């Protein structure tokens, strides 16, 4: 027991090394840009003021979003996804997988679960002892089930999921802008230092150009580091923007979620606008701020690919069908959450009205065909 605890402690300590590295790089970039570039190198007061204001704005947003991504704990499934004591004891006693699945199906029949394993079984985590909600996965690094798990990021030493995915996206965006701003503003001084002041002495530097001081090394490395991080972040941020537009996680992009009618990579996609709102929220004024505005509870997600299922609530209805209690009496239908209603509103009604119009046109065509047949079969007088 003691060795495993010591190993877990070592893993936690090692996990913070990438975070410490990024923190040190950010602190050095602050010193190199503010002190070495703006204070000791740039001569124009107006240029200094503009650079410092924009730099500090991007730096604050970068640090704020990075902090929120790191220290926002992943969200676990709620208690309703845990087996009751009787079912748990019965599940532990059973050795046959078929009997265990029957217990899980009985426990999950009233839960908003639409996805299954590749074999069509209820997704259950034996380590956390919980029925997995849709899009929930177990993280071996965090040793817990994480709602809408995207991936475990070593650079933030945290699991990126439902609770902090917006913060992660903003962290990538502000990191990208931070590196781009530094590279763009440092470029002219990088060129001057690189081409005109390469000698150890500043004697041969043209008059009015920058002297060959120790600031040169900070400026040179600052440009290289900013450009390097910008290139690497650009591909990662572009990929996650594509994931958001498709309403997929990184796990779902590599392995499509399995529904009752089979796997479908677009199973949770509601259209570009609604996919965006599911991550950033309804109010656009909060989209660029690292505060939680994502829609939903992380345990259930609206989807249009689940057909009418007697065992599960229909995802396109605004209320779930009535359920029976233990004594056989009908319970009132449970309404969908407010965020699900907002996500399904508008498009949902339009989709249902289209179906009604199609049915009405079919009935009208059938009635017209019957009338023509009746007219044709009437005896002539």
């Amino acid at each position: 027991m003691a060795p495993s605890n010591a190993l877990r402690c070592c893993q936690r300590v090692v996990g913070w090394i990438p975070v410490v590295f990024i923190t040190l790089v950010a602190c050095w970039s602050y010193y190199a840009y503010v002190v070495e570039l703006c204070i000791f190198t740039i001569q124009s007061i107006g240029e200094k003021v503009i650079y410092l204001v924009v730099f500090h704005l991007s730096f604050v947003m970068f640090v704020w979003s990075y902090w929120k991504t790191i220290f926002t704990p992943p969200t676990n499934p709620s208690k309703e996804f845990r087996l009751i004591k009787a079912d748990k004891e019965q599940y532990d006693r059973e050795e046959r997988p078929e009997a265990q699945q029957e217990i899980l199906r009985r426990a999950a029949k009233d839960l908003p679960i639409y996805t299954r394993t590749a074999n069509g079984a209820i997704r259950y985590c034996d380590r956390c002892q919980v029925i997995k909600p849709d899009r929930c996965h177990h993280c071996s690094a965090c040793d817990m089930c994480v709602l809408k798990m995207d991936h475990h990021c070593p650079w933030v030493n945290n699991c990126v999921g439902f609770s902090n995915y917006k913060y992660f996206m903003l962290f990538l965006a502000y990191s990208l802008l931070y590196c781009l701003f530094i590279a763009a503003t440092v470029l002219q001084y990088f060129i001057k230092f690189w081409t005109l002041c390469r000698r150890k002495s500043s004697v041969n530097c043209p008059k009015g150009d920058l002297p060959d001081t120790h600031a040169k090394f900070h400026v040179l490395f600052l440009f290289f580091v900013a450009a390097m991080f910008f290139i690497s972040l650009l591909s990662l941020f572009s990929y996650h923007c594509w994931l958001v537009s498709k309403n997929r996680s990184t796990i779902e992009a590599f392995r499509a979620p399995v529904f009752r009618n089979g796997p479908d990579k677009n199973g949770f996609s509601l259209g570009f606008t609604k996919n965006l709102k599911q991550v950033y929220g309804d109010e656009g004024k909060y989209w660029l701020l690292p505060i939680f505005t994502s829609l939903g509870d992380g345990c259930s997600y609206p989807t249009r690919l689940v057909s009418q299922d007697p065992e599960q609530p229909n995802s396109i209805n605004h209320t779930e069908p009535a359920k029976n209690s233990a004594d056989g009496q009908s319970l009132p239908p449970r309404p969908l959450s407010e965020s699900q209603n907002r996500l399904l509103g508008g498009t949902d009604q339009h989709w249902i009205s289209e179906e009604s119009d199609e049915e009405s046109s079919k009935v009208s065509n059938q009635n017209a065909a019957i009338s023509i047949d009746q007219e044709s079969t009437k005896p002539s007088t």
Side-chain angles (χ1 to χ4, degrees), residues 66-342:
Y66 188 47
W67 177 275
K68 295 286 285 186
T69 307
I70 295 173
F71 294 104
T72 301
T75 310
N76 300 325
S78 56
K79 293 182 179 180
E80 62 179 330
F81 290 90
R82 297 186 179 276
L83 296 178
I84 61 175
K85 184 177 181 181
D87 289 342
K88 180 65 177 62
E89 293 175 352
Q90 185 179 1
Y91 180 86
D92 292 335
R93 287 196 303 266
E94 289 289 348
E95 297 181 356
R96 295 174 301 147
E98 297 82 5
Q100 290 180 333
Q101 274 299 307
E102 183 60 32
I103 297 173
L104 294 179
R105 276 193 292 269
R106 186 172 64 248
K109 67 179 182 178
D110 293 335
L111 296 176
I113 296 176
Y114 302 108
T115 56
R116 299 290 186 268
T117 64
N119 299 325
I122 301 294
R123 301 191 317 128
Y124 182 76
C125 180
D126 290 311
R127 187 167 183 84
C128 297
Q129 298 182 349
V130 64
I131 297 175
K132 293 181 182 178
D134 293 341
R135 318 184 80 175
C136 175
H137 299 275
H138 184 86
C139 177
S140 57
C142 297
D143 195 24
M144 60 187 294
C145 284
V146 179
L147 296 181
K148 196 186 177 182
M149 178 180 174
D150 188 88
H151 68 287
H152 185 89
C153 182
W155 298 107
V156 299
N157 193 30
N158 198 3
C159 222
V160 178
F162 172 75
S163 61
N164 62 350
Y165 189 69
K166 178 189 174 183
Y167 307 148
F168 177 75
M169 289 295 297
L170 292 178
F171 160 62
L172 294 180
Y174 288 124
S175 300
L176 199 66
L177 292 176
Y178 181 71
C179 294
L180 178 61
F181 175 76
I182 290 178
T185 53
V186 169
L187 179 59
Q188 59 173 319
Y189 299 98
F190 168 82
I191 295 175
K192 289 181 180 180
F193 276 129
W194 185 263
T195 58
L196 300 178
C197 298
R198 288 178 295 177
R199 299 182 180 182
K200 294 182 180 180
S201 173
S202 61
V203 176
N204 295 326
C205 287
K207 187 176 182 180
D209 283 310
L210 300 174
D212 190 8
T213 63
H214 66 278
K216 157 188 167 181
F217 300 101
H218 288 282
V219 172
L220 293 177
F221 280 108
L222 189 61
F223 177 80
F224 278 123
V225 172
M228 179 185 65
F229 274 97
F230 173 79
I231 294 173
S232 59
L233 285 169
L234 181 61
S235 59
L236 182 61
F237 179 67
S238 301
Y239 176 68
H240 277 278
C241 286
W242 178 78
L243 290 178
V244 171
S245 68
K246 299 294 183 181
N247 204 342
R248 299 177 198 169
S249 64
T250 301
I251 296 176
E252 293 166 352
F254 286 95
R255 185 175 63 250
V258 180
F259 297 86
R260 284 186 172 272
N261 55 350
D264 197 306
K265 60 183 179 181
N266 295 318
F268 294 104
S269 181
L270 303 173
F272 177 78
T273 302
K274 292 183 183 295
N275 293 343
L276 206 63
K277 289 182 178 180
Q278 196 171 95
V279 175
Y280 293 98
D282 282 332
E283 301 186 57
K285 60 184 178 181
Y286 298 121
W287 282 13
L288 299 181
L289 296 177
I291 56 177
F292 186 80
T293 55
S294 300
L295 300 182
D297 56 2
C299 293
S300 60
Y301 295 89
T303 172
R304 301 196 177 282
L305 297 183
V306 180
S307 58
Q308 184 67 35
D309 191 338
E311 297 184 15
Q312 295 291 346
N314 190 358
S315 65
I316 65 172
N317 293 334
H318 287 275
T319 58
E320 297 180 358
K323 302 169 185 157
N324 293 329
S325 61
D327 56 0
Q329 294 183 355
S330 177
L331 296 175
R334 184 177 63 180
L336 295 177
S337 65
E338 181 183 353
S339 60
Q340 287 179 332
N341 280 326
R342 291 200 300 270

